[in-house]
Amino acid sequence: LLAQFMMRFSLKKFMKKNLLKFSLAFGLFLFSSQFFAQDLETLKQQKESLKLNTELIEKKIDLLKEQQDNSKIKEKVEGLNNKSDRKTDNFSSSDSPESTAKDAKKTAKLLKETQSANKDLAKSNDKIIDLETDIKKLELKLEKLKFLVEFKEK
């Protein structure tokens, strides 16, 4: 009976002495887990920011390529438009119906080609506008994330 009392007494004494240590350790554990969760959230935001940066760079590259293609298409269209204008301005019916028919077919073919080139130019212009709006949206998203995430400099 005395042994049991001594064990209980020493156990209570041990618990009282170590209660501060246990609560300090538990508090440290909670603090570190909360710090880890905040660090994890920061890493997720940095990952999102890097993903958006990558997408932004890809869009800018696509925009540059499209602008180069657009300038080539513009040159082609300008040439075709000038050629079509001259061809239609100088079109005259000749004495021979066969030569008039040939000229009309050539002119119609040239006009179709010009129309197709103009459509390509319009599509290219629309694509440039779409890419520019996408870039603006991505830049806005990145600006919002910039306030949330601060990259650590090494």
Side-chain angles (χ1 to χ4, degrees), residues 33-50:
S33 65
Q34 184 181 9
F35 181 73
F36 179 73
Q38 287 176 345
D39 195 37
L40 187 62
E41 185 63 30
T42 302
L43 289 174
K44 285 180 183 178
Q45 289 173 349
Q46 286 177 348
K47 179 183 174 186
E48 179 68 21
S49 179
L50 289 173

Side-chain angles (χ1 to χ4, degrees), residues 66 70 74 120-130:
E66 192 60 37
N70 188 284
K74 274 183 185 176
D120 290 343
L121 181 62
K123 285 180 186 178
S124 179
N125 288 336
D126 290 343
K127 189 172 181 180
I128 287 174
I129 291 169
D130 290 343

Side-chain angles (χ1 to χ4, degrees), residues 6-142:
M6 292 292 278
M7 284 185 82
R8 284 187 187 168
F9 182 70
S10 64
L11 184 60
K12 288 181 182 178
K13 201 176 189 181
F14 175 75
M15 288 295 282
K16 284 182 182 179
K17 285 183 178 179
N18 292 322
L19 182 62
L20 183 61
K21 292 178 186 175
F22 286 130
S23 59
L24 185 61
F26 186 69
L28 186 61
F29 171 74
L30 288 177
F31 178 73
S32 65
S33 65
Q34 184 181 9
F35 181 73
F36 179 73
Q38 287 176 345
D39 195 37
L40 187 62
E41 185 63 30
T42 302
L43 289 174
K44 285 180 183 178
Q45 289 173 349
Q46 286 177 348
K47 179 183 174 186
E48 179 68 21
S49 179
L50 289 173
K51 181 181 170 185
L52 289 174
N53 269 323
T54 304
E55 193 175 334
L56 178 64
I57 290 170
E58 288 173 357
K59 293 282 185 186
K60 285 184 177 181
I61 290 171
D62 290 344
L63 178 63
L64 289 174
K65 286 180 183 177
E66 192 60 37
Q67 286 173 338
Q68 288 175 348
D69 290 345
N70 188 284
S71 66
K72 290 177 186 175
I73 293 171
K74 274 183 185 176
E75 290 174 12
K76 180 182 174 185
V77 165
E78 286 174 3
L80 284 172
N81 283 338
N82 289 337
K83 192 174 180 181
S84 294
D85 287 343
R86 282 182 301 207
K87 191 83 166 176
T88 54
D89 288 345
N90 295 334
F91 186 77
S92 61
S93 57
S94 59
D95 295 335
S96 166
E98 291 174 358
S99 65
T100 303
K102 283 183 183 179
D103 284 345
K105 283 182 183 179
K106 286 180 184 178
T107 304
K109 185 178 178 183
L110 180 64
L111 291 173
K112 278 187 178 181
E113 187 178 344
T114 305
Q115 184 180 14
S116 174
N118 281 319
K119 281 183 183 179
D120 290 343
L121 181 62
K123 285 180 186 178
S124 179
N125 288 336
D126 290 343
K127 189 172 181 180
I128 287 174
I129 291 169
D130 290 343
L131 286 170
E132 287 173 343
T133 55
D134 289 346
I135 287 171
K136 286 179 185 176
K137 286 178 185 178
L138 286 172
E139 287 174 342
L140 285 174
K141 284 181 184 178
L142 281 169

